[in-house]
């Protein structure tokens, strides 16, 4: 009799946590930056909550940004120490735009677009 897979194993295998979505941050000067984001897991959220040492949504979302953002080659563009500088020196509208995309609340780019880059 063949071994039956447990549901938890089937669920985990069904989702590709390495598939990234691409976000293009554009400045009015014409300069742009590409950021890539893998799907957020509950463990990612809990780690950011621990680092933020707060349940305040604005702090948590910027910690998530620093933790989850990647450049095209997979390197991290931000460190945890960058949270305060991003919050203090970027317009809130910029952080909102990127963080909404991170959390899947903005549909600017599809998964297909990220795969084709």
């Amino acid at each position: 009799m063949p071994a039956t897979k447990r549901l938890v194993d089937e669920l985990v295998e069904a989702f590709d946590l390495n598939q990234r979505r691409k976000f293009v941050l554009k400045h009015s000067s014409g300069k742009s930056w590409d950021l890539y984001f893998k799907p957020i897991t509950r463990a990612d959220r809990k780690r950011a909550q621990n680092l933020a040492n707060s349940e305040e949504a604005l702090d948590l979302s910027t910690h998530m940004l620093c933790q989850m953002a990647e450049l095209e080659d997979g390197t991290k563009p931000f460190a945890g120490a960058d949270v305060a500088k991003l919050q203090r020196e970027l317009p809130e509208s910029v952080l909102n735009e990127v963080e909404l995309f991170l959390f899947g609340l903005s549909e600017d780019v599809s998964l297909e677009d990220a795969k084709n880059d």
Side-chain angles (χ1 to χ4, degrees), residues 10-103:
E10 288 183 34
L11 287 170
V12 169
E13 289 173 8
F15 294 93
D16 181 3
L17 294 180
N18 291 310
Q19 189 172 38
R20 304 185 308 171
R21 295 179 304 132
K22 178 181 177 181
F23 180 80
V24 180
L25 179 59
K26 298 176 184 172
H27 188 271
S28 59
S29 68
K31 183 153 177 69
S32 66
W33 302 268
D34 296 342
L35 296 173
Y36 295 82
F37 297 96
K38 292 179 181 175
I40 298 170
T41 65
R42 185 61 54 95
D44 294 326
R45 189 179 300 270
K46 289 176 75 172
R47 185 171 36 256
Q49 213 167 11
N50 277 342
L51 291 171
N53 200 23
S54 168
E55 292 188 26
E56 210 303 301
L58 295 176
D59 291 334
L60 180 58
S61 61
T62 308
H63 274 275
M64 288 289 292
L65 170 63
C66 289
Q67 177 180 308
M68 300 298 297
E70 296 181 349
L71 299 176
E72 186 174 8
D73 65 3
T75 59
K76 299 289 187 183
F78 305 116
D82 294 330
V83 169
K85 186 170 187 170
L86 290 169
Q87 289 179 337
R88 187 178 55 249
E89 298 183 28
L90 278 183
E92 185 166 9
S93 61
V94 173
L95 278 179
N96 284 343
E97 185 180 359
V98 179
E99 291 168 357
L100 287 172
F101 182 85
L102 164 64
F103 289 106

Side-chain angles (χ1 to χ4, degrees), residues 97-115:
E97 185 180 359
V98 179
E99 291 168 357
L100 287 172
F101 182 85
L102 164 64
F103 289 106
L105 301 173
S106 169
E107 298 301 323
D108 291 345
V109 178
S110 71
L111 289 173
E112 201 58 38
D113 291 335
K115 285 194 278 189

